[in-house]
Amino acid sequence: GAVVSQHPSWVICKSGTSVKIECRSLDFQATTMFWYRQFPKQSLMLMATSNEGSKATYEQGVEKDKFLINHASLTLSTLTVTSAHPEDSSFYICSVRELGYSNQPQHFGDGTRLSIL
Amino acid sequence: SQQGEEDPQALSIQEGENATMNCSYKTSINNLQWYRQNSGRGLVHLILIRSNEREKHSGRLRVTLDTSKKSSSLLITASRAADTASYFCATDSQGAQKLVFGQGTRLTINP
């Protein structure tokens, strides 16, 4: 069964809307979750590392005020795209890693396709 | 972050043939992982090979790792139409929590 649940799977909304995406770890506690963005026919680009109980670590070039991350519990991280614009349209994917992460794979959600009109 | 390179970018073969994809990376690693992504879906973990391993098998999958050349290959034997997907390598570097993904190979298996 699924290890990671990501919701919603598809969002279409108007420009200026804020959109929240949830990522839940179903099988284990995850102190760390990862948020990626993927454009069509491209690879995954890490946006930020979400840390339970502390601030997220953002990759260079990712606006932290634009992409708000909250990791309030060991099983839930949320990504909010604030005041979304058409250029924010993309496929957003989260992943989790078990505690004691060395030499363990990440488990990915099914992604959220965000379309901003 | 720097990404590894994969080749070919796209590969189209007939069902039953073998498919080989290559991945190169730049930094020292703890392990290298291969993932598959069906269109519009998340990534599915296929196989993880540690830096002290040279070859690993899982079913029809065979992965090799050459740390001296900083390269890895994924071989899918006796391909099936259901193997059609994008395949990504990802490196897990020493001291870092995050994975760095290659550009991916889009594999098409023709029935």
Side-chain angles (χ1 to χ4, degrees), chain A:
Chain A
V3 177
V4 178
S5 173
Q6 188 172 339
H7 178 81
S9 57
W10 199 4
V11 180
I12 302 174
C13 58
K14 294 181 179 179
S15 185
T17 306
S18 292
V19 178
K20 180 185 284 188
I21 303 169
E22 292 187 349
C23 181
R24 293 183 183 273
S25 177
L26 302 179
D27 279 7
F28 50 82
Q29 294 180 335
T31 56
T32 303
M33 295 186 182
F34 303 90
W35 288 96
Y36 297 87
R37 181 167 53 185
Q38 184 181 33
F39 292 106
K41 296 187 178 181
Q42 294 188 23
S43 187
L44 278 73
M45 292 296 297
L46 180 66
M47 298 175 66
T49 302
S50 172
N51 303 301
E52 188 267 337
S54 64
K55 292 182 179 180
T57 303
Y58 290 83
E59 294 299 303
Q60 191 173 6
V62 178
E63 299 177 58
K64 61 181 181 181
D65 294 331
K66 173 77 172 175
F67 299 99
L68 300 179
I69 291 172
N70 184 282
H71 193 156
S73 77
L74 287 171
T75 58
L76 175 64
S77 175
T78 61
L79 168 68
T80 301
V81 183
T82 61
S83 187
H85 289 98
E87 59 266 28
D88 298 322
S89 298
S90 189
F91 192 57
Y92 293 86
I93 311 174
C94 70
S95 72
V96 304
R97 203 169 197 177
E98 292 190 66
L99 293 175
Y101 58 82
S102 179
N103 290 318
Q104 293 291 325
Q106 291 186 14
H107 301 276
F108 287 82
D110 264 349
T112 297
R113 183 159 305 283
L114 177 61
S115 297
I116 308 298
L117 304 177

